[in-house]
Every structure is written in structure tokens, then in C-alpha cells.
Amino acid sequence: MEYLPFTRPDIDEATIAGVVEVLRSGWITSGPQVKAFEAKLSEYFGGRPVRALVSGTGALELALELAGVGGGDEVITTPLSWVATANVVVRAGARPVFVDVNPATRLIDLDRVEAAITPRTKAIIPVDLAGLAVDRDRLYAIARKHGLRVIEDAAQSMGTRWNGRRIGSFGDLVCLSFHANKNLTTAEGGCLVLNDAAEALRCERLRLQGVVRLPDGGQEVEVPGAKLNLTDIAARIGLGQLEQLEGFNERRTHLARRYFARFARFDRSLHCGLPPQEFANTNWHMFQILLPLDRLAIGRGEFIGQMHARGIGVGVHYPAMHLFKLYRGLGYQDGDFPEAEKVGASIITLPLFPRMTDADVDRVCDTVRDILRTHMRPEHR
Ligand SMILES: *Cc1c(COP(=O)(O)O)cnc(C)c1O
């Protein structure tokens, strides 16, 4: 049977032909395709200014700089994310202050955020893990009350809505990723949604060496900008993807429903933790279960190996970040964020991508069931 990866990008022939045209055009780095992609993205995000960047991480880095986050500042975020979320804070010279997750949503627990705010707190970085939106109403109420900037790590949220409003179409600084695994990809890439034209101009300068082009052909530089511009090759992929995004996300939603229906048949006996059955405020970037490790005779690594041996790829998104050496070095330790630790130790990302068939979902579920049943400790069978 064909190997089923946990995700796979879906690039159609029209997009491939478009990329070939760009390659033949003689203009392959930032140019007309980037302009066109930014215009479409801006339209998608309700007319807000958008700047395309080389990665979601680059978007977070620029957002922190635009928000004025630097040495001595604190930034509140979740321990359960891709490590980029906290790394960018450290690289900006600030301190990531983690707040535990709500085990039901696996997202930052907004009930605990205010207790983590200090006079040094400058910003909050919420993360929409698996594309499930953090409650934007409560989040922005807290931010307003304490005068904090919000840098949304919406890397996984392309197409997600919060109570009907598209993520990116409102809020403060919103960072998206177009990495190969995301719902919309440009191979590598990302974008930053900004508040106004002045902020967009600052972003434009910061993404390319700080260079300002003068009318007489000369240049001026006032800030040491980075090098984070997107190529036209990548932007052309993004233009093709954007047209298909709604269809991609509908298909993901359909497959997620099928996962729930299939797991409902046997989940009670398997004691898997399923994601929240939420269809309004997510784009189903990932379908993640929690393994019942306390009932199993095998660990997560062995489970992953057995899935792989049966032709199915699964992922781990993510181990709790505060337990990485880097963050232990900042003073974090085991037991600091028990909910994130529990989720991070047992979470498994099952295959979910638009080209998957319904039969693929059934095969994944049946394989999970077989492996878990085989290795359930006798007293739990
Ligand atoms: C993918 C991702 C990023 C980083 O995006 P890149 O484009 O890979 O730099 C940041 N945060 C989260 C939650 C992500 O999933």
C-alpha cells in the first residue's frame, strides 16, 4: 500500500505552468508577482496592508521589531507551539513568559494570562495551534486593558475565522506562514498583516536592508534592515494556492468530520484524546490526538514506528518548548506548565491534507485502533 505522509502540499498544473513562466521571464526575485500576491492577500484580509516575507518566522521577527520589543521586555506566549514562536522573542533580546494551555483547546489559557503580566510585559503572542483560533474577543480585551501589543502567531491559521471574521482581517500585527506544510504554501514564505500605511512602509524597509530609494536614483539608509523579501517564484505559487484555499479548507473540514465519525465507533475503549469538535473557528490545519500513554505498554516513539511500519506517517506538533535546553537555561523546569507538558508528551498529528481520500482516513483510524488495542496494558483491556 502507498505510504501516506502526515501532510503533502497540493500544487496544481496551472500553478506549475505559472512558475515556469516566472522562471522564463527573467525576473525571479521580488517583483510583479510579489506585488500581485500582496494585493490579493490584502483583499483577502479585508483591505489591510500586507507585506510578503520569506517565512512566518521572518514575519514574527519584523512584527516584534515594529512593536518595539527589545532588551528587558517580556512577551507572553504559550509553551505549546513550534519553537519559532519563542525563539524570535529570545533573538529580540526579550524574555518569553509562558502561560499554560487549556487542555480542552490546547491553546494558551486566557484565564491565566493576566496573572503573568508585569510592568515589563510588552506584548502577547497567541498561537492558533492546529488552526484553531484563540478567543480574539477575550485576548484583545486583556491587551487593551493592559496596553499590550498583540503579535498574532497565525502561522497555521490561513482561512480560519473567529466568530465569522477572518483571522488577519482585524487585530494588531498578524503573522502567517506559507511553509510547505501549511494550508497555503509558497514552499517557504509568509506574510505580515499591518495596521496602517506607515507601519507597512516601516515593514517594507526593515525587510530589505532598510534601503529607501530616492527619486534621483540614489539611496538612503536610516535603519539596519534584514533580508526577508519573498521571491517572485514563491509568490506565483502563492497566487495559485490562494485561488484554491477555500476548496482545500473545505476538504480538510470534511476529512476532520470523517475522523470524528470513525473514532466515535471505538474511541471510548481506546481512551484517545480527540481535538475539540469545533468547526466554526478553525481551518483544520492539523488533526491531533493524545495517546493514552498511561494505559499503554509502549511509548510514543514506538507508536510512531509502528504507524510508519504500516505505511502511515504521523507527526509531533509539538513538545512543550519550556523543556528545551535553551528555555531551561532561562529558568524553566519540569512541572512549570503541567497541561502543556501532558499534551506535548502524548500528542500525535494524524495525516490530513486535501488530496487524502475518505478511505485513507478510515485506514489511519483502523491502524491507530489496532496498534493501541495490541499494546493496551492487560488491566486496561
Ligand atoms: C510554521 C510556524 C511558524 C514559522 O513559520 P515558518 O514559515 O516556518 O518560518 C511559526 N509558528 C507556528 C505556530 C508555525 O506553525
Side-chain angles (χ1 to χ4, degrees), residues 251-298:
R251 180 72 194 153
R252 285 173 176 277
T253 301
H254 167 84
L255 294 166
R257 285 190 195 280
R258 192 166 181 98
Y259 265 121
F260 281 118
R262 195 83 183 174
F263 271 118
R265 294 187 186 182
F266 42 67
D267 181 61
R268 243 180 234 287
S269 62
L270 292 186
H271 302 277
C272 274
L274 296 181
Q277 287 213 37
E278 163 68 65
F279 289 89
N281 297 322
T282 182
N283 63 2
W284 284 109
H285 172 59
M286 296 189 281
F287 191 96
Q288 300 175 289
I289 61 168
L290 307 183
L291 296 177
L293 290 176
D294 49 346
R295 293 169 180 267
L296 295 178
I298 58 171

Side-chain angles (χ1 to χ4, degrees), residues 55-57 60 81-82 84-85 127 153 155-156 177-179 182 189 318:
S55 67
T57 306
L60 289 165
S81 179
W82 174 228
T85 309
V127 179
D153 183 342
Q156 303 183 359
S177 167
F178 306 138
H179 175 266
K182 304 302 203 280
Y318 299 92

